[in-house]
Amino acid sequence: MVTHMNDILSQLPLREPTFFILLSLSPGPKHGYAILKEVSNLSEGRVKLSTGTLYGAIKRLLDQDWILRVDDPIPNGTDRERKSYELTDLGRRALNAETARLRKLVHAAASQTAEEIP
Amino acid sequence: MSGWARLATKLYRLLLACYPAAFRVEFGVEMQDVFATALAEAQHSGKERPWQLFWREIRNWPGSVLQEHLRARRSKMFSNKVMDEKPLTRKELLAAMIFFILPLFSILAVTDTNSPQWKDYILLVLFWGSIIFAIGLAIARSVPRWSLPYLGFISMVGIILIGTDRFWSWTYPYFIESFGPRSVWPISIRIIYVGIFGFIMTFTILLGALMLVNLLRLLPYTRGVWKRIRADWTQLSFLLYGGLVLDIMLLFDEYHHEEFWKFIAWTCLALGAWSYLRAKGQKRRILALLGGATGAMWIVALAKWVLIPLQKWPTGYPISPSETTRWVETGSAMVSWVLVLLMLIAPVVLNLLPLSHSPDIQEENVPA
């Protein structure tokens, strides 16, 4: 289990689907289908996850304690209890670390491009 | 839901069957839910969308399945503990083993049922009293693993009481009509008859056991048992294994001087059960049961070969102690052995089937 910041940093860079899944959970807990849709929206339709990829990633994130399973706050209209996933503190730190890493990349790319263009 | 969508959902369930069992138990139902919801939404968004969705699933399926199997294997390699069951305590192990000692009462009892003595009644009460007490205790404790053979024994008694005469009346007249009186049947036909009769019995026992397991999921009290069996189908095999104790009693029905052989056969079953309860992992567990059953049934076959010439069955008894009988009885025991193996393996094959669409199996922490 990853617990320290150094351990989190060793997990970076995140794979794109993993990053988007964490990002989709950033505002609050979501169930599987909501994550699927949100990932598609956030990536402007570029990343479309299959259920196998989604739940493979969810399993890994659960094992790493980056997310946890909670009861769905929104009733789904059936008797069946639906499970949602929520970002843990550790998961949020990983997301922030990856966002910071990407921001640095973008900053570096932006500064380089600005120097090149007269 | 359109016909196409229903077909796609069924195909999707089949695809899910290829994931590792633990993964399916944890996520199978959710994945089906997500797929069904996505499919329903895609149907409203144009004709091509459902196809695109399904194609995406198909395209990613081999990679995902492979990845999950590799991950499951990796985590298994790094884990020394059994994932789905807590180890049995010494008391629980003893409780399971007592089941295989109980039939010894029947050896101690006088076999002449025409003139039973007081000690026969005591042994009978002790035997059935112990079985009923164990089943009561098992029900009170949510049917733990040690109690499964007791339940298998009772189930087998029920099925034999209900089924034997009925199956006999279905099959026997047909054979009489086709091959004449039983006394003139060749050895091969006699063994085939035993095989067909045994197959019907085995099939009925399996069907009965599966119906029982499915009934367990209906009641909140017993749903935990169903979940446990669903997570490890060898437990159903173990339940059926308990019925073999009765099977051995019946295979030696009307025999004389069979006590030693019965004792050895039951000892084989006890060793198989002990190995099963100590084994880690489903593969080892089923192998333990198959080993115990094989030992017991081969002992039965050998015993029949040795004992037949020593029998003094009355003249006119359906089976006379002749050389033909020797072959038929020994061959029948071997046929029974094959059927027993099939019966024990069948529940494990169910692990390959897709998960049923039920909310129960997605819960975590399957109880031991």
Side-chain angles (χ1 to χ4, degrees):
Chain A
M1 193 173 79
V2 179
T3 49
H4 300 295
M5 200 59 205
N6 283 346
D7 294 331
I8 290 174
L9 290 174
S10 72
Q11 304 280 318
L12 305 184
L14 298 179
R15 287 177 63 231
E16 204 174 14
T18 310
F19 174 73
F20 278 122
I21 289 169
L22 291 177
L23 194 61
S24 71
L25 294 176
S26 178
K30 282 188 180 62
H31 56 82
Y33 182 62
I35 297 172
L36 210 68
K37 283 190 76 173
E38 188 66 12
V39 167
S40 179
N41 288 339
L42 288 168
S43 64
E44 298 175 331
R46 197 168 44 78
V47 178
K48 286 185 187 292
L49 300 176
S50 69
T51 52
T53 312
L54 172 68
Y55 280 94
I58 283 177
K59 177 160 181 56
R60 206 173 54 253
L61 293 170
L62 283 169
D63 290 346
Q64 287 175 314
D65 280 354
W66 285 12
I67 61 171
L68 56 92
R69 195 183 270 129
V70 292
D71 287 333
D72 193 352
I74 306 160
N76 61 355
T78 66
D79 291 339
R80 201 167 24 240
E81 220 176 67
R82 198 161 55 173
K83 295 290 175 190
S84 286
Y85 299 92
E86 188 176 53
L87 215 54
T88 61
D89 182 46
L90 205 60
R92 197 169 290 282
R93 280 157 64 192
L95 177 64
N96 290 341
E98 177 67 354
T99 309
R101 190 187 70 82
L102 290 172
R103 197 173 284 133
K104 277 182 192 168
L105 286 182
V106 171
H107 181 72
S111 59
Q112 189 69 12
T113 316
E115 281 173 18
E116 279 178 4
I117 298 168
Chain B
M1 195 186 272
S2 70
W4 186 89
R6 265 197 299 275
L7 180 66
T9 310
K10 278 182 185 170
L11 282 172
Y12 182 78
R13 284 175 65 178
L14 283 175
L15 295 181
L16 277 185
C18 296
Y19 282 91
F23 186 87
R24 277 185 282 138
V25 168
E26 192 171 6
F27 297 112
V29 174
E30 270 186 76
M31 288 170 79
Q32 284 177 55
D33 269 338
V34 170
F35 178 73
T37 313
L39 191 65
E41 189 164 289
Q43 282 182 308
H44 294 295
S45 313
K47 280 186 179 174
E48 285 175 9
R49 292 293 297 279
W51 289 102
Q52 286 170 351
L53 175 79
F54 193 64
W55 171 239
R56 188 159 63 236
E57 293 295 336
I58 297 277
R59 200 182 51 205
N60 288 328
W61 170 75
S64 302
V65 168
L66 184 67
Q67 201 171 23
E68 291 315 318
H69 274 284
L70 288 174
R71 189 186 295 166
R73 188 164 282 270
R74 219 167 28 235
S75 65
K76 204 173 167 185
M77 280 168 68
F78 289 110
S79 171
N80 291 324
K81 60 181 181 183
V82 181
M83 303 285 282
D84 53 347
E85 289 284 356
K86 287 179 194 162
L88 258 68
T89 62
R90 195 170 287 181
K91 276 184 187 172
E92 287 173 325
L93 200 59
L94 185 67
M97 286 298 104
I98 284 173
F99 171 75
F100 295 93
I101 296 167
L102 284 176
L104 295 178
F105 289 144
S106 73
I107 291 178
L108 297 173
V110 174
T111 48
D112 185 2
T113 49
N114 292 326
S115 54
Q117 296 177 6
W118 61 270
K119 74 167 185 178
D120 297 334
Y121 290 115
I122 292 175
L123 288 169
L124 197 70
V125 169
L126 267 176
F127 178 76
W128 282 107
S130 308
I131 296 269
I132 291 164
F133 174 75
I135 288 175
L137 198 65
I139 291 168
R141 297 189 174 182
S142 303
V143 193
R145 259 193 304 165
W146 63 260
S147 68
L148 294 172
Y150 292 89
L151 292 170
F153 182 85
I154 286 288
S155 310
M156 192 73 95
V157 169
I159 287 168
I160 284 171
L161 283 177
I162 297 166
T164 307
D165 286 345
R166 196 156 297 167
F167 299 146
W168 188 270
S169 66
W170 288 348
T171 51
Y172 197 59
Y174 175 78
F175 271 72
I176 292 281
E177 200 178 306
S178 304
F179 305 107
R182 191 177 177 179
S183 54
V184 299
W185 293 358
I187 294 175
S188 56
I189 296 299
R190 289 191 193 195
I191 294 177
I192 287 171
Y193 177 74
V194 171
I196 291 173
F197 186 80
F199 181 79
I200 296 172
M201 282 296 277
T202 307
F203 184 76
T204 310
I205 290 165
L206 268 175
L207 204 67
L210 283 173
M211 281 169 67
L212 179 74
V213 168
N214 269 296
L215 278 175
L216 293 176
R217 65 199 278 197
L218 297 179
L219 298 173
Y221 178 73
T222 55
R223 201 166 292 147
V225 183
W226 174 75
K227 276 193 278 183
R228 214 179 58 214
I229 291 175
R230 183 64 189 87
D232 176 8
W233 280 106
T234 66
Q235 294 187 76
L236 186 58
S237 303
F238 192 43
L239 186 142
L240 295 168
Y241 188 81
L244 295 186
V245 166
L246 180 67
D247 201 23
I248 286 170
M249 280 183 186
L250 295 175
L251 283 168
F252 283 116
D253 192 27
E254 301 289 351
Y255 270 73
H256 298 287
H257 317 298
E258 87 296 0
E259 294 85 356
F260 167 74
W261 298 96
K262 274 204 291 199
F263 173 75
I264 299 290
W266 282 328
T267 305
C268 286
L269 288 183
L271 284 173
W274 188 82
S275 307
Y276 170 84
L277 292 167
R278 304 276 296 176
K280 291 173 179 175
Q282 293 192 25
K283 198 175 169 185
R284 284 185 184 180
R285 285 177 187 169
I286 193 68
L287 284 176
L289 295 186
L290 296 181
T294 298
M297 296 308 285
W298 283 21
I299 291 292
V300 170
L302 181 65
K304 292 202 165 194
W305 183 259
V306 173
L307 289 175
I308 293 274
L310 306 175
Q311 301 307 303
K312 289 176 183 169
W313 288 318
T315 312
Y317 189 73
I319 307 167
S320 58
S322 65
E323 197 61 19
T324 308
T325 313
R326 205 177 185 190
W327 281 102
V328 170
E329 285 284 288
T330 308
S332 303
M334 295 313 285
V335 169
S336 301
W337 165 60
V338 174
L339 291 169
V340 162
L341 293 194
L342 288 175
M343 183 178 78
L344 295 178
I345 290 170
V348 184
V349 176
L350 293 172
N351 272 332
L352 302 173
L353 293 176
L355 286 171
S356 58
H357 202 72
S358 162
D360 305 318
I361 49 178
Q362 68 181 359
E363 287 174 28
E364 287 181 300
N365 302 326
V366 175

